[in-house]
Amino acid sequence: AQSVTQPDIHITVSEGASLELRCNYSYGATPYLFWYVQSPGQGLQLLLKYFSGDTLVQGIKGFEAEFKRSQSSFNLRKPSVHWSDAAEYFCAVGGGGTYKYIFGTGTRLKVLA
Amino acid sequence: NAGVTQTPKFQVLKTGQSMTLQCAQDMNHNSMYWYRQDPGMGLRLIYYSASEGTTDKGEVPNGYNVSRLNKREFSLRLESAAPSQTSVYFCASSAIEGEQFFGPGTRLTVL
């Protein structure tokens, strides 16, 4: 079955600390992978995407993610978190000829001053 | 470019009432989607339209209907609203197998 798992529902970090949000997927075809961010009361904004090529991808706002095929993972990282990064983060998978995208249940990030 | 727009932003309905949520995109995307977002459940696909003239069911289609009016517009209709349909509804569009672009959402409460 196709699925996306974000094992951490909530994460709290101090401002300036590093961040890693986990994402694992199960997908039958070669996956296209995405990370989105949602601020309260807003829609989802794309942070970064992986289609092919270099497995380390850079996104907006200083985020990066690494695709590890052997671990079926696409973890999101940021070296130094800012208070404005507090939001909910969603991992998603699609591709392989399907028009459907599968979203994880999200990780809510809290940033302590 | 406005991107993806949705109307209305907020709506309160009584059980049994009907309404249509409107969505439009100006990015010339072929594919459009309707999701609902509930706490702890992420985004669940209601219906999608891979291209103009086609629509298909997603994960949670019961109680909803859709119309792909033209390439730009994709509407979601609740024929007889139920409290279980209280949610935030997002429309999205994408090029073929590209990233999705989301609208700002509609907050619907069914009493």
Side-chain angles (χ1 to χ4, degrees), chain A residues 36 38 49 90 97 99 101, chain B residues 33 37 90 97-100:
Chain A
Y36 291 86
Q38 184 182 32
K49 61 188 178 187
F90 292 93
Y99 293 94
Y101 297 75
Chain B
Y33 307 79
Q37 184 179 33
F90 287 100
E97 295 191 334
E99 67 264 33
Q100 293 187 310

Side-chain angles (χ1 to χ4, degrees), chain B residues 12-59:
Chain B
V12 178
L13 294 177
K14 293 181 180 178
T15 297
Q17 287 185 317
S18 62
M19 78 162 296
T20 300
L21 282 66
Q22 306 286 353
C23 173
Q25 54 92 9
D26 61 3
M27 295 172 281
N28 201 36
H29 286 161
N30 286 315
S31 303
M32 297 186 73
Y33 307 79
W34 277 105
Y35 293 92
R36 60 178 289 172
Q37 184 179 33
D38 302 291
M41 303 192 75
L43 276 76
R44 292 183 292 169
L45 182 64
I46 305 171
Y47 271 93
Y48 68 102
S49 171
S51 60
E52 187 178 356
T54 69
T55 61
D56 286 285
K57 295 178 180 179
E59 182 184 355

Side-chain angles (χ1 to χ4, degrees), chain A residues 11-72:
Chain A
I11 283 186
T12 300
V13 299
S14 297
E15 192 171 19
S18 63
L19 173 70
E20 183 169 31
L21 302 183
R22 295 181 291 166
C23 173
N24 292 96
Y25 66 89
S26 174
Y27 203 69
T30 300
Y32 295 166
L33 295 155
F34 310 87
W35 274 100
Y36 291 86
V37 60
Q38 184 182 32
S39 298
Q42 304 295 317
L44 278 73
Q45 180 186 18
L46 181 72
L47 281 176
L48 48 77
K49 61 188 178 187
Y50 172 79
F51 285 176
S52 65
D54 192 346
T55 56
L56 184 63
V57 294
Q58 304 295 322
I60 62 172
K61 305 186 182 188
F63 285 91
E64 66 177 28
E66 187 171 10
F67 170 56
K68 292 185 177 180
R69 185 185 299 274
S70 62
Q71 298 177 22
S72 297

